Amino acid sequence: MRRSIKGIFIFAIASALLLTGCSAGQSSTESKKEEKVSFENVPERFADGDGAKIKVIRKIGGDDHTAQYLAGAKEEGEALGFQVDTYTANGDTAKFHDAIAQALEEDYDGYIISHGDDAATVNDVQKLVDAGKSVVTFDSISDLSKIEGVTLTSQDDEALATLAFDKLIKEQKGEAAIAYLWVDGFPPMVRRNAVYKEKLKENPGIKEVERFGVASADTSVQTQNAVAAMLNKYPKGKLDAIFATWDAFAIGAARAIKEAGRDEVKIYGIDVSNADLQEIQSADSSWSYTAAVDPKLIGAVNMRILAKKLAGEETPQTYDLEASFISQKQIQASKEAVNMANLSNIVDGWGVSTEFEEDWMKVLKDHYKK
């Protein structure tokens, strides 16, 4: 009998302790849920730790530049405590516009729209703004500037084209037969083409003998085939250089030249990615120079501008990211394999910018890093 009473007593104490522990745990959890995080000097919009829900939608895709751009936007947003979803339409216009319409129904707080190149993009963005949403665009149609509150960002395309083509003119001593790889319809391409046309007028010794350009999920493959045909059409001495206004063009051209054993045909390109750097640093590559802006940094800067909009802070109507110039000699002289992560060891200022990075953003980053 004593043993039974003793057992009951021990069981009762254990049960009480268990219930107390559960109650304490529940109270602690509820307390954490109810507790609001306060950030000193952080805008009221983000001071309760709720962050924001962001959608990044890009028309073109299928290339490393796109992947780097989306990664930069996503990483920067998540570092600020945001939920960031990305989408690329891989050049499909209908899918691009459908994605924007669907994203509006999903009620995101802010949107980054990349490579919207038609009047329908203006209508799409107007609907977003009318719904009270914040919008930043990249390399998109200039008519978006008519919509109040929208920031249009771009690479400094005039500088990119000038850096690359001036080097071609200088190295070819103003006399060359060239192929032009370019595609119409995209705002950055239009700006680069304007520089190209002006440079041709100023340098009559530079003759365009062939051109090709298509924007698709397999641009580099199609370009490789097209350049291979050009090399057959123009034997050695009849084609001196290629001006490639997009790295997807340049990498396809480089592969075709390598397969044909025509390394006397030099490539002067625009844009850079890990795949590009791998090609440029190979010993038999004909890709001599490229002008570029770090695509990952572009995505990050776009996200910072959007964060400032959500915080109610002033943002510019337009912003151009500064161009850098990269030579094959620089890359090949490196003692280690060069990629997008360590390119800054070779090119001063590469991938680094404090533009639009406010002190309160650093507070958020420190908080969400924990």
Side-chain angles (χ1 to χ4, degrees), residues 70-140:
L70 296 177
K74 189 174 181 66
E75 287 180 18
E76 187 74 3
E78 290 180 346
L80 294 169
F82 300 170
Q83 173 190 327
V84 182
D85 299 322
T86 64
Y87 175 82
T88 173
N90 288 323
D92 189 310
T93 299
K95 288 182 178 179
F96 173 69
H97 294 299
D98 286 346
I100 298 175
Q102 183 178 344
L104 178 56
E105 294 298 318
E106 293 170 348
D107 198 32
Y108 287 87
D109 299 302
Y111 301 81
I112 296 176
I113 306 297
S114 175
H115 290 82
D117 58 355
D118 54 13
T121 301
V122 180
N123 294 332
D124 289 342
V125 172
Q126 185 66 65
K127 289 178 183 177
L128 296 176
V129 172
D130 289 344
K133 308 301 181 181
S134 297
V135 181
V136 173
T137 68
F138 173 62
D139 271 359
S140 295

Side-chain angles (χ1 to χ4, degrees), residues 227-268:
V227 172
M230 289 181 200
L231 295 172
N232 288 328
K233 185 177 178 180
Y234 299 96
K236 200 167 186 177
K238 299 297 182 181
L239 183 66
D240 302 301
I242 291 175
F243 180 44
T245 56
W246 181 19
D247 63 334
F249 293 148
I251 200 164
R255 290 167 180 168
I257 290 170
K258 188 179 294 184
E259 285 187 3
R262 294 284 300 278
D263 60 0
E264 84 281 0
V265 179
K266 300 303 180 184
I267 298 172
Y268 302 80

Side-chain angles (χ1 to χ4, degrees), residues 291-334:
V293 179
D294 182 359
K296 195 169 184 180
L297 181 63
I298 299 170
V301 169
N302 279 196
M303 186 61 69
R304 292 174 196 167
I305 296 173
L306 185 59
K308 284 176 65 65
K309 288 183 182 295
L310 291 170
E313 296 184 351
E314 185 177 348
T315 55
Q317 184 183 52
T318 61
Y319 179 73
D320 291 339
L321 289 101
E322 188 176 349
S324 296
F325 198 52
I326 306 164
S327 74
Q328 185 183 57
K329 288 182 179 179
Q330 284 177 296
I331 302 299
Q332 292 183 347
S334 174

Side-chain angles (χ1 to χ4, degrees), residues 64 68 251 272-279 281 338-341:
D64 197 26
Q68 291 278 331
I251 200 164
V272 73
S273 69
N274 281 316
D276 302 339
L277 289 170
Q278 185 175 354
E279 173 59 40
Q281 63 194 303
V338 180
N339 54 45
M340 296 294 283

